[in-house]
Amino acid sequence: MNKKHFKHILLILLFIPAGIFAQGINWDTDGTSYTQLEGSQISRVILPSLQKTTIVTADLLTPKGQSQPLPISGYTFSEDAKKVLIFTNSKRVWRYETRGDYWVLDLASKQLKQLGKGLPEASLMFAKFSADGSKVAYVSKHNIYVEDLVTNKIKALTKDGTTKLINGTFDWVYEEEFDCRDGFRWSPDGKSIAYWQIDANTIRDYFMLNTTDSIYSQVIPVEYPKVGEKPSACKVGVVDVATAKTTWMKVPGESTNNYIPKMEWAANSSEIIIQQLPRKQNETKLMLCNVKTGEAKTFYSESDKAWVNVNNRAGESVGWDWLKNGKEFIWQSEKDGWNHLYIIGKDGKEKLLTAGDYDVISLLAFNEETNVIYFTASPENATQQYLYRTTLDGKGKAERVSPLNQAGTHSYNISPTGKFAQHRFTSSTVSPVSEMISLPDHKPFNDAESINAKIAKQKPKKQKVEFLKIKTEDNITVDAWMVKPYDFDSTKKYPIVFFVYTEPASATVKDTYFAGMNNLYIGDMAKDGYIYVSIDGRGTPSPKGREWRKAIYRKIGQINIRDQAMAAKELLKNKYIDPTRVAVHGWSGGGSTTLNLLFQYPEIYQTGIAVAAVANQLTYDNIYQERYMGIPQENREDFVKGSPITYAKNLKGNLLYIHGTGDDNVHYQNAEQLVNELIKYNKQFQFMAYPNRSHGIYEGEGTRAHLNTLFTNYLKQYCPPGGR
């Protein structure tokens, strides 16, 4: 890419649900305009005037012989902006809707035509234009195809794809734990395609049972490597579009004992760059591979006593941030104890860009000509997030760019030229708002439509969220939020309910509008008389340094559970909290935490509602569990010590356990193993299985209403609301 242009990264904030902000924008390559989807049309907005024109009308997206335009799930323009690739009829694959139909609209001829004719309906994935816009490549049924837009000829570049031999995309565990979905990359010259091949033939199937859709049960196999099982074999090839011949990269090491979570073209068409992790994920190796010979050379590596992070962009393993026409790139590392940005050369030399005792949360954009790099950070408050900038030469200091009067969580989508950005903001008192701004002055285009103007029009939030720092008897200070009842009277005693997650995948204590809200509860907890609290202990991915985040290594279910319990113990010293009405709830990892708290600290917690929990760590997938816990063949005792099922015999209080029988993430076997253990010790509890529902328990008519009613009624019955 031209060095005048920013490389930008769309930031995705954890625990902010999709769709809460205005419709996202897609920048045009010149950075002076953007496009956006508006119903069945695509509009272009010119900056800074904000003049809007419709460039793709509903009529243009209506196929011949049909009366309705294509429903658009996504779209991309060719590099010359003369064609539009439309994604429609999307279907879910695991967690994401990545499979569907693709159409190409030629803006000059107004011709609309469907791609992949002759292939199964809604089977195309990750369609992309070649650099010159003459071809489109896509995946169908685990094979890669290229379609010539002039001749309409479709050519199979791979033919060996099956449900177990996967070309151009990934198996369940790579998608779930490495955010790998799109598994192929066009070369810059459009003559070849680099792609992943996952061989899951050695991975045993986990069999789910669908007993609701027919009289006889249906077996649903999912290739799922349990913790302790070797990874699926992974390799990278480069296929020549003209000959359909693949050259495999000679990546060293056993393919079933290593992972390749990142691969991109190395800013040219002669080599690709690969990131390799060993099975323990405690070392990262970067390799350059010659696409003609397949020879691979390691030029950079780093290791950690716990684990190393994968440098994913925007939550998906796509993209590499090149400098100096491909001689250097930007990399993130915790090697000095903080998450910092470095410049790494192909010769292995490195330069630190963001020195200091603070974490970079996410790289957003950079510009070589202006010597600037933008990133998010929050050195003073780990619950918030702001835009910062420094220099690419490594001589500058971090400067905050986000307005000082807007305390909370900021995110940005920065234009390719770095002159403009979509700025989004939320806090515990401000519902999500957005504005268009110029950079580096951070000025809104229109004062009347600015975030400050929008905030002034918002009604005050009735629910008051207090952010706390709690110091435990272990001398650990944790962040927390608390919501008190509206009619709070310090002379009364109120029930307290804890919302928990507290594992490395996410943090819950964030200064956003959704802090303090419970979407499982019917009604208003504060109005009904509950104190609602969430706490982030050690091991959560908060910007508090490496030691904070990695203290949990080999101690999930132990150190994080103690931090929660000891912080709760401190809160219970407040006389306005009723120690006989203490409840806790969580989902997935939070469900595991709920069980562990109820079982390990029954003297503190009387009531728990756990959803889709990992009751036995030995049942979960290898990538996640081995990253944070090690390999069970070497330290099985840590998995046992951290599993709720180990402590089920200690249950004294009230437990409601909930799980979907069609959960392909945290398998339903966790529920049955836990139930067996509770039965063994004659522990009485309540149990709700949702037939054929996945990890999110949302499929089927009435499901969420039923779940919310169940949750609310149980909480009110066993942890009654109101001051006494």
Side-chain angles (χ1 to χ4, degrees):
M1 180 176 284
N2 189 307
K3 67 178 181 180
K4 294 181 180 179
H5 291 170
F6 265 71
K7 300 257 183 120
H8 58 281
I9 301 163
L10 178 62
L11 177 65
I12 295 177
L13 299 174
L14 290 171
F15 276 87
I16 298 184
I20 64 167
F21 288 117
Q23 169 68 43
I25 64 175
N26 297 307
W27 290 105
D28 291 327
T29 55
D30 64 2
T32 63
S33 60
Y34 63 84
T35 61
Q36 61 185 9
L37 183 63
E38 296 182 328
S40 297
Q41 302 186 141
I42 300 174
S43 299
R44 173 168 283 123
V45 179
I46 307 298
L47 304 179
S49 67
L50 295 176
Q51 179 183 354
K52 183 167 68 173
T53 57
T54 300
I55 57 174
V56 178
T57 63
D59 289 342
L60 291 176
L61 293 177
T62 303
K64 289 182 180 180
Q66 298 186 21
S67 59
Q68 297 296 322
L70 297 170
I72 305 175
S73 300
Y75 70 93
T76 54
F77 284 87
S78 58
E79 285 192 19
D80 61 10
K82 294 180 179 179
K83 300 183 184 75
V84 190
L85 191 59
I86 304 296
F87 181 43
T88 186
N89 194 25
S90 60
K91 307 296 181 183
R92 182 179 171 198
V93 178
W94 311 130
R95 290 171 57 191
Y96 304 93
E97 291 192 354
T98 53
R99 179 171 56 84
D101 294 323
Y102 282 90
W103 297 66
V104 170
L105 173 65
D106 189 307
L107 293 176
S109 68
K110 312 299 183 185
Q111 183 182 10
L112 177 68
K113 60 182 179 182
Q114 186 174 2
L115 300 177
K117 289 186 176 180
L119 295 171
E121 181 187 358
S123 69
L124 273 59
M125 304 175 72
F126 315 117
K128 293 187 281 290
F129 286 111
S130 59
D132 63 3
S134 67
K135 300 178 180 66
V136 172
Y138 45 78
V139 172
S140 177
K141 294 292 184 179
H142 295 159
N143 279 312
I144 302 171
Y145 296 84
V146 64
E147 184 164 343
D148 191 301
L149 298 181
V150 177
T151 66
N152 297 324
K153 289 184 178 180
I154 300 173
K155 183 177 184 177
L157 299 183
T158 66
K159 297 181 179 180
D160 55 355
T162 66
T163 56
K164 289 285 192 175
L165 189 67
I166 304 167
N167 296 303
T169 184
F170 297 91
D171 60 357
W172 181 91
V173 73
Y174 257 80
E175 177 179 303
E176 176 70 20
E177 306 301 0
F178 285 140
D179 288 311
C180 292
R181 297 185 284 280
D182 180 352
F184 73 91
R185 312 281 187 264
W186 273 106
S187 64
D189 63 10
K191 294 180 180 180
S192 55
I193 290 175
Y195 67 98
W196 276 267
Q197 184 184 83
I198 305 293
D199 186 350
N201 279 293
T202 60
I203 302 302
R204 296 175 63 184
D205 284 330
Y206 180 82
F207 296 108
M208 300 189 302
L209 203 61
N210 179 347
T211 61
T212 62
D213 293 340
S214 63
I215 298 301
Y216 283 91
S217 60
Q218 300 173 18
V219 176
I220 310 297
V222 179
E223 68 268 7
Y224 189 106
K226 296 281 188 177
V227 60
E229 298 288 327
K230 284 189 174 183
S232 52
C234 174
K235 59 182 179 179
V236 171
V238 176
V239 60
D240 184 281
V241 172
T243 65
K245 292 183 178 179
T246 293
T247 300
W248 296 106
M249 301 301 101
K250 301 173 184 177
V251 178
E254 185 182 355
S255 62
T256 56
N257 256 325
N258 291 279
Y259 298 106
I260 302 177
K262 286 201 64 155
M263 176 274 290
E264 298 291 339
W265 287 90
N268 58 65
S269 296
S270 64
E271 58 185 0
I272 57 175
I273 187 168
I274 283 175
Q275 180 185 21
Q276 184 193 57
L277 303 177
R279 181 176 169 184
K280 285 188 177 182
Q281 302 172 64
N282 57 359
E283 182 181 18
T284 187
K285 291 182 180 180
L286 300 183
M287 304 176 190
L288 288 168
C289 302
N290 184 300
V291 301
K292 298 296 183 184
T293 66
E295 295 299 326
K297 180 182 178 182
T298 300
F299 67 95
Y300 175 82
S301 66
E302 66 175 83
S303 60
D304 193 289
K305 292 180 180 179
W307 70 86
V308 294
N309 294 320
V310 177
N311 278 257
N312 284 359
R313 299 174 17 151
E316 185 175 357
S317 187
V318 176
W320 214 280
D321 299 302
W322 293 103
L323 298 165
K324 293 186 178 179
N325 294 320
K327 295 180 181 178
E328 299 175 341
F329 57 89
I330 299 172
W331 193 249
Q332 296 187 52
S333 172
E334 295 177 307
K335 65 172 63 182
D336 72 350
W338 299 91
N339 191 37
H340 281 310
L341 300 176
Y342 294 79
I343 290 179
I344 308 292
K346 286 184 177 179
D347 57 3
K349 294 181 180 178
E350 64 184 58
K351 177 171 63 178
L352 176 64
L353 298 182
T354 55
D357 292 346
Y358 69 94
D359 282 309
V360 170
I361 297 173
S362 184
L363 166 64
L364 295 186
F366 57 91
N367 187 297
E368 292 186 78
E369 286 196 346
T370 57
N371 190 36
V372 66
I373 184 167
Y374 287 107
F375 57 93
T376 50
S378 188
E380 285 81 35
N381 189 329
T383 71
Q384 299 174 341
Q385 179 171 280
Y386 301 97
L387 181 64
Y388 278 77
R389 59 176 284 169
T390 190
T391 59
L392 274 172
D393 58 16
K395 298 178 182 179
K397 293 183 178 180
E399 303 173 23
R400 176 169 160 172
V401 182
S402 297
L404 294 175
N405 69 330
Q406 294 174 2
T409 299
H410 298 254
S411 62
Y412 297 81
N413 187 352
I414 299 176
S415 71
T417 56
K419 293 182 179 180
F420 308 116
Q422 183 184 44
H423 170 215
R424 294 164 166 173
F425 172 67
T426 181
S427 74
S428 62
T429 59
V430 177
S431 63
V433 285
S434 66
E435 65 184 356
M436 296 302 299
I437 62 171
S438 57
L439 289 174
D441 56 10
H442 205 288
K443 290 185 177 180
F445 289 172
N446 185 333
D447 287 338
E449 294 296 321
S450 68
I451 282 178
N452 283 333
K454 292 174 181 177
I455 292 174
K457 295 177 182 178
Q458 289 189 2
K459 294 181 179 180
K461 184 180 179 182
K462 187 175 182 181
Q463 184 188 66
K464 303 296 182 184
V465 181
E466 302 174 42
F467 285 88
L468 315 171
K469 288 190 178 297
I470 305 169
K471 189 173 183 178
T472 72
E473 63 184 51
D474 299 326
N475 200 31
I476 302 298
T477 300
V478 300
D479 285 311
W481 52 248
M482 173 188 287
V483 178
K484 293 177 180 176
Y486 296 144
D487 58 353
F488 178 74
D489 181 344
S490 62
T491 65
K492 294 183 178 180
K493 290 184 178 294
Y494 295 90
I496 186 168
V497 180
F498 292 92
F499 165 55
V500 295
Y501 183 78
T502 198
E503 287 199 10
S506 192
T508 59
V509 184
K510 297 290 187 182
D511 191 355
T512 76
Y513 197 68
F514 304 95
M517 294 185 181
N518 184 354
N519 63 7
L520 289 174
Y521 187 85
I522 297 175
D524 188 326
M525 291 183 70
K527 181 180 179 181
D528 290 346
Y530 285 109
I531 294 174
Y532 196 36
V533 174
S534 193
I535 299 166
D536 273 343
R538 286 173 292 176
T540 51
S542 301
K544 293 183 174 184
R546 178 206 172 278
E547 293 304 315
W548 174 271
R549 291 185 289 273
K550 295 183 177 177
I552 201 170
Y553 184 59
R554 290 175 55 169
K555 292 182 174 63
I556 292 179
Q558 297 180 67
I559 193 172
N560 56 329
I561 303 306
R562 181 166 178 82
D563 281 356
Q564 289 285 327
M566 294 304 99
K569 186 177 178 181
E570 291 299 316
L571 285 177
L572 289 173
K573 292 179 180 178
N574 291 294
K575 294 183 179 180
Y576 56 79
I577 295 177
D578 186 347
T580 68
R581 290 182 289 166
V582 180
V584 57
H585 79 94
W587 197 304
S588 193
S592 308
T593 298
T594 297
L595 294 174
N596 264 321
L597 290 171
L598 203 61
F599 299 161
Q600 293 188 41
Y601 294 93
E603 72 278 9
I604 296 177
Y605 305 92
Q606 293 91 39
T607 300
I609 304 175
V611 187
V614 178
N616 181 354
Q617 290 186 22
L618 295 171
T619 69
Y620 201 53
D621 74 67
N622 57 0
I623 293 181
Y624 182 92
Q625 212 66 48
E626 292 181 3
R627 178 190 302 151
Y628 304 122
M629 291 295 291
I631 299 176
Q633 287 87 339
E634 299 177 358
N635 57 302
R636 185 183 178 89
E637 65 278 7
D638 293 327
F639 293 81
V640 174
K641 288 179 182 177
S643 292
I645 197 170
T646 302
Y647 309 98
K649 59 187 176 184
N650 299 330
L651 175 64
K652 294 180 180 179
N654 314 297
L655 169 63
L656 170 61
Y657 188 78
I658 300 167
H659 213 122
T661 69
D663 192 334
D664 61 17
N665 185 339
V666 179
H667 296 148
Y668 183 67
Q669 70 180 147
N670 282 274
E672 295 198 334
Q673 288 185 11
L674 178 66
V675 167
N676 268 343
E677 195 70 7
L678 291 167
I679 290 171
K680 177 181 177 180
Y681 292 101
N682 194 24
K683 298 298 180 179
Q684 302 300 307
F685 61 99
Q686 292 191 27
F687 176 50
M688 180 65 201
Y690 281 91
N692 209 31
R693 270 63 166 193
S694 69
H695 193 56
I697 310 182
Y698 62 86
E699 303 89 348
E701 187 176 354
T703 298
R704 265 312 169 98
H706 187 279
L707 175 59
N708 289 5
T709 303
L710 176 66
F711 178 96
T712 306
N713 290 346
Y714 191 87
L715 184 65
K716 285 183 175 180
Q717 180 179 355
Y718 291 99
C719 185
R724 295 175 179 174

